[in-house]
Amino acid sequence: MATQNQSRSAYAKVWLFFMYYWLIFGISTYFGQFLPIAWRQPLSIGLLVLILASMVFQRVRFSGPIISHIYTIVVGLLSYAAFMYTLQDLGARLFFNMVILAVSGFVIFGILGYFWIKDASSLGRYLFVTLIALILAGLVGWWIHSPVYYMIIAVVGLLLFLLYTLYDFNRMKRGQFSPRELGFNLFINLFHIIRYVLELARIMKR
């Protein structure tokens, strides 16, 4: 009984941290409307370099207390312009339909990871290597202006974070997590799933 209560408490903390990071993101996104345009590209590149360096040296996803807050705040600041541009490009109805589709994908892969997959721990190393490759590709993408290249990145990124969602929910089932770290990872997974679904919708509309 005590073990079940501890598990429920740990799960509750995961979702509290999940909402906590979304709150920080939402506040940062609001203030993103005041971010000078000239700051966006240097801030994006600097953030990607910082994340890549932390992952290479620590050999884990960028989920430490400091880097997670820096990432959430900076991504929020940068997301205001991206979301407004995408909203205008797609229209409100398609925009929100894509967001609902992305959230549905997050839920479906979470259910698969928690209820259907017995042990997905072996998947972690492959996802980690793919994530590093995706970050490097994102850096290169600043100098490559090719719709095909952006589509490949979006497809790979979407599949990667859907699988990370499956992986993280499976970790939750097996009890191999810390609430803050897992809450942040789930926030990151959902954010990127939404981001890549919207990006693919924009590319397909063109």
Side-chain angles (χ1 to χ4, degrees):
M1 188 69 176
T3 302
Q4 289 182 347
N5 290 335
Q6 289 175 353
S7 297
R8 290 174 182 172
S9 176
Y11 291 168
K13 289 178 180 178
V14 168
W15 295 113
L16 282 174
F17 276 112
F18 176 78
M19 296 304 299
Y20 166 75
Y21 282 108
W22 273 110
L23 178 62
I24 294 176
F25 173 82
I27 295 171
S28 301
T29 301
Y30 171 79
F31 284 104
Q33 63 186 302
F34 307 111
L35 183 71
I37 296 176
W39 291 16
R40 292 174 188 168
Q41 183 170 344
L43 203 57
S44 298
I45 294 175
L47 181 63
L48 287 176
V49 171
L50 178 63
I51 291 169
L52 184 61
S54 69
M55 290 173 63
V56 169
F57 288 116
Q58 297 178 11
R59 297 187 181 278
V60 293
R61 294 170 71 184
F62 51 101
S63 56
I66 296 176
I67 191 68
S68 64
H69 284 85
I70 292 174
Y71 181 87
T72 306
I73 292 170
V74 174
V75 164
L77 291 172
L78 294 170
S79 291
Y80 177 84
F83 281 155
M84 289 301 101
Y85 180 79
T86 304
L87 181 60
Q88 292 177 359
D89 191 24
L90 297 179
R93 183 175 181 179
L94 181 56
F95 179 92
F96 289 110
N97 282 343
M98 291 300 100
V99 172
I100 292 171
L101 179 63
V103 173
S104 300
F106 175 82
V107 171
I108 291 169
F109 274 76
I111 291 172
L112 289 174
Y114 194 90
F115 293 104
W116 285 34
I117 307 299
K118 183 177 180 180
D119 187 351
S121 57
S122 61
L123 194 61
R125 69 188 73 175
Y126 302 108
L127 296 177
F128 181 74
V129 171
T130 305
L131 179 58
I132 291 179
L134 186 67
I135 293 172
L136 289 172
L139 286 170
V140 174
W142 285 104
W143 293 275
I144 297 178
H145 303 289
S146 168
V148 175
Y149 185 81
Y150 295 148
M151 176 176 281
I152 293 172
I153 288 180
V155 170
V156 172
L158 177 59
L159 292 174
L160 173 65
F161 285 101
L162 285 171
L163 288 174
Y164 254 131
T165 299
L166 183 151
Y167 173 76
D168 286 330
F169 271 88
N170 188 257
R171 286 175 55 210
M172 187 188 301
K173 178 180 73 172
R174 291 183 286 110
Q176 298 180 350
F177 65 94
S178 72
R180 188 206 58 77
E181 176 258 345
L182 188 57
F184 173 70
N185 284 348
L186 292 176
F187 156 73
I188 287 298
N189 294 345
L190 180 54
F191 167 75
H192 281 291
I193 291 169
I194 293 172
R195 172 193 167 194
Y196 287 122
V197 166
L198 290 173
E199 181 64 22
L200 284 171
R202 282 183 55 211
I203 293 172
M204 296 299 291
K205 186 178 179 181
R206 294 173 188 172

